[in-house]
Amino acid sequence: MASKINIETYPGNIINNEFVSTPTTRHSIDPATGKPLYEVPVARKEDLDAAVKHARASFKSWSATPFEDRSKLLLAYADAVEANRTDLERLQTMEQGKPLSLAQTEVNMALTWLRQFATMEVKSEIIEDTAERTIYSTFPPLGVCAAIVPWNWPILLGLGKVGPALMTGNTVIMKPSPYTPYCNLKLGEIAMSIFPPGVFQVLSGDDSLGPWITEHPGIDMVSFTGSIPTGKRVAASCAKTLKRYVLELGGNDAAIVCDDVDISKCLPKITTLAFLNSGQICMLPKRIYIHEKIYDQFRDAMVEFTKNNIKTGGGFEADVVVGPIQNSMQFDLVKDMYSQIDKAGWKTALDGKARDGAEGYFMEPAIIDNPPEASRIVVEEPFGPIVPIMKWSSDDDVIERANALETGLGASVWSKDLVRAEKMARQLSAGSVWVNSHFDVAPNVPFGGHKESGIGMEWGIEGFKHYTNTRSLWVWKKTFD
Ligand code: NAD
């Protein structure tokens, strides 16, 4: 019987399967109300040192545990998370702000991911096998991994690192964003009754904790998801100890809509995705290029659809799509982008507006009508419910514009002509490219960014290999006896 969590109490960080309290605590706030949430620990350097010591000690036995046994434990863990899912979903809406239905989607995805990860073994590969010798590629684990998690999608992105780290034989320390510590701490608490001590630990802290982790000589690998500027700091810090790292960073995805689409069929998906989680997902359509032949019709239908279907409000209200912006820092950034509408003279197809922020960080959706290509709303990732739509006329030109930025996380092409669409898709520089879709992800499919959107991949066997060393093993059959 899985233990039941109490979402109102956070007795300590999860170190070696025990709660370790800290002299100081802090809290985050509910972004829909501005009200404080529960007190959580603030890890000290000595807490990190203790977690690393235990992680190193447990690595010896965990890395030697057969794949099948690790798999059984990960499946048991998924069941225990599922037994607590209702509480986790409510807690996710309270701390992150996303609509409850989206919190449910996130938990569904996390469970699917864990259960699929439990089947994914990185097997030795035979490079050469002759009468004289066999040469293998083998993939031993790295040691102690750190999972540094952002505030926008903390359950899936946290467990999306923990699962592969554990299945490849590493031990892992998860660090939530200070803005969203609650679900990640509860995920660690649930793990206490499943995994051996020191295998999966969670440390909540303040802004000092991330840099302590990336500098720590006892940590072998950092899997980081967050913004591009922070990713560069993480890479520079990891370089000092030559730690391995995987960086999943920001994006500014182009969606290219061709002139032959059936607008009524593709528009609801494109529009809903553009505003999903209030635009606070790394890989959403953030620059929508619409063929000039259908531009006016598409724009007007998009405005109508948004007015009728994209409701702004608190995450516990029915049918809400755009919940609050997650935190005051991000709220100010998004408000600044909205303020450019007047300052830069952008035309709006739909005027969004900010509510005052006193009772939640709400922004209503805005659609910017054909702004100049060099404007901030096109070149910067807004991470809010504001999206530009632009006209295009030639395939080559739109591909060049889609590829022009330093980001390359996702991109999509929408057309009935699959040959033309695939030809265009193959020219887009992004880690994930879709034809007639956007934002599809799966646990067995690698996910990552080109250019400044990241280094390395997560998920899929390729992602799993980033948690391993490659060891070439030469076995000569002549035994010298
Ligand atoms: P962020 O970079 O501010 O923080 C991410 C995490 O890093 C947090 O846990 C934070 O505490 C920690 N951190 C901050 N400074 C650090 C440092 N110097 N060293 C180590 N850790 C440090 O990002 P955010 O604001 O939480 O997330 C939003 C950004 O993340 C957006 O740009 C978004 O596009 C990106 N993102 C990318 C992906 C992806 O998979 N590519 C997914 C989600 C979000």
Side-chain angles (χ1 to χ4, degrees):
M1 195 52 194
S3 54
K4 265 320 232 179
I5 56 170
N6 174 354
I7 62 168
E8 295 182 3
T9 57
Y10 298 81
N13 281 317
I14 318 298
I15 300 179
N16 209 31
N17 281 1
E18 287 175 7
F19 290 116
V20 177
S21 64
T22 54
T24 51
T25 59
R26 56 175 294 280
H27 60 258
S28 186
I29 57 144
D30 177 340
T33 62
K35 300 221 167 77
L37 290 170
Y38 318 107
E39 290 297 308
V40 291
V42 180
R44 299 157 298 171
K45 177 76 170 50
E46 63 207 75
D47 298 313
L48 175 63
D49 290 340
V52 170
K53 187 185 89 187
H54 293 302
R56 295 204 81 73
S58 62
F59 175 69
K60 293 194 187 88
S61 51
W62 182 251
S63 58
T65 302
F67 175 84
E68 291 68 27
D69 294 352
R70 293 203 290 257
S71 172
K72 275 187 203 136
L73 289 180
L74 197 70
L75 291 173
Y77 177 63
D79 291 347
V81 171
E82 188 163 35
N84 286 288
R85 66 173 298 166
T86 314
D87 284 334
L88 286 168
E89 287 156 3
R90 288 184 58 75
L91 187 60
Q92 176 64 184
T93 293
M94 281 159 68
E95 70 170 323
Q96 205 283 328
K98 62 172 57 99
L100 188 59
S101 58
L102 198 58
Q104 289 161 347
T105 303
E106 184 173 345
V107 172
N108 275 339
M109 290 172 82
L111 293 171
T112 305
W113 263 234
L114 287 176
R115 287 171 177 146
Q116 175 115 25
F117 290 155
T119 69
M120 289 167 59
E121 183 173 11
V122 181
K123 295 195 169 117
S124 292
E125 293 159 14
I126 295 176
I127 297 170
E128 189 186 302
D129 190 21
T130 62
E132 284 188 310
R133 65 188 192 188
T134 309
I135 308 171
Y136 304 88
S137 267
T138 66
F139 300 96
L142 292 168
V144 178
C145 298
I148 301 185
V149 185
W151 48 256
N152 63 340
W153 212 240
I155 297 177
L156 180 67
L157 296 179
L159 295 181
K161 299 177 187 303
V162 168
L166 296 183
M167 288 313 300
T168 45
N170 300 276
T171 54
V172 65
I173 300 170
M174 177 160 73
K175 187 204 91 64
S177 164
Y179 291 116
T180 51
Y182 300 101
C183 284
N184 283 175
L185 278 164
K186 287 298 161 194
L187 290 171
E189 185 179 325
I190 294 167
M192 287 165 82
S193 57
I194 309 278
F195 296 104
V199 167
F200 174 13
Q201 305 177 92
V202 183
L203 294 181
S204 143
D206 60 18
D207 290 342
S208 321
L209 181 57
W212 288 340
I213 287 176
T214 55
E215 282 162 16
H216 204 292
I219 293 178
D220 302 286
M221 185 269 191
V222 171
S223 177
F224 169 86
T225 300
S227 62
I228 293 172
T230 312
K232 290 178 180 174
R233 285 194 279 277
V234 167
S237 175
C238 287
K240 290 183 202 147
T241 47
L242 290 183
K243 274 184 191 54
R244 276 51 177 166
Y245 54 81
V246 170
L247 304 176
E248 297 295 344
L249 308 177
N252 197 351
D253 296 9
I256 300 173
V257 184
C258 296
D259 42 335
D260 64 348
V261 295
D262 184 335
I263 293 179
S264 66
K265 296 225 171 89
C266 68
L267 181 134
K269 181 156 185 175
I270 295 173
T271 310
T272 306
L273 284 178
F275 295 121
L276 198 70
N277 207 30
S278 313
Q280 302 169 115
I281 297 182
C282 49
M283 202 166 63
L284 295 178
K286 291 176 183 162
R287 297 177 286 149
I288 304 179
Y289 291 95
I290 302 160
H291 196 281
E292 62 179 5
K293 282 192 197 148
I294 58 163
Y295 182 88
D296 290 357
Q297 201 191 341
F298 193 103
R299 177 198 57 210
D300 297 347
M302 188 171 175
V303 169
E304 267 320 289
F305 182 87
T306 306
K307 280 186 186 158
N308 296 330
N309 299 283
I310 310 286
K311 183 179 158 194
T312 302
F316 291 109
E317 287 173 41
D319 305 325
V320 161
V321 177
V322 173
I325 301 297
Q326 202 279 324
N327 58 67
S328 61
M329 179 260 322
Q330 187 63 29
F331 188 56
D332 289 343
L333 287 175
V334 179
K335 271 199 301 196
D336 182 53
M337 186 63 93
Y338 275 61
S339 76
Q340 296 300 310
I341 294 173
D342 288 337
K343 285 187 197 149
W346 300 332
K347 209 165 114 201
T348 53
L350 183 67
D351 294 330
K353 57 178 186 305
R355 300 189 191 162
D356 68 8
E359 289 180 358
Y361 305 134
F362 292 100
M363 307 288 300
E364 288 172 4
I367 300 172
I368 310 299
D369 187 357
N370 206 26
E373 198 71 12
S375 51
R376 272 185 59 193
I377 188 59
V378 182
V379 298
E380 290 178 21
E381 178 188 40
F383 232 53
I386 175 166
V387 64
I389 53 177
M390 279 82 63
K391 284 184 195 174
W392 64 276
S393 55
S394 102
D395 292 9
D396 289 346
D397 176 54
V398 75
I399 287 164
E400 201 171 311
R401 289 159 72 190
N403 285 338
L405 303 183
E406 282 310 313
T407 46
L409 194 58
S412 59
V413 182
W414 301 72
S415 173
K416 280 187 189 153
D417 180 345
L418 293 183
V419 174
R420 173 190 184 193
E422 193 177 323
K423 187 172 168 220
M424 291 170 82
R426 286 178 183 276
Q427 297 173 71
L428 292 169
S429 176
S432 298
V433 180
W434 305 268
V435 169
N436 293 324
S437 193
H438 206 111
F439 190 48
D440 300 321
V441 281
N444 57 337
V445 179
F447 158 69
H450 291 193
K451 301 186 274 186
E452 291 202 350
S453 287
I455 291 186
M457 301 296 269
E458 287 205 287
W459 309 339
I461 287 294
E462 186 180 342
F464 275 46
K465 282 186 178 168
H466 287 296
Y467 290 93
T468 68
N469 276 311
T470 299
R471 176 175 54 205
S472 301
L473 175 63
W474 300 62
V475 179
W476 288 90
K477 296 176 184 172
K478 196 168 80 176
T479 55
F480 300 105
D481 48 22

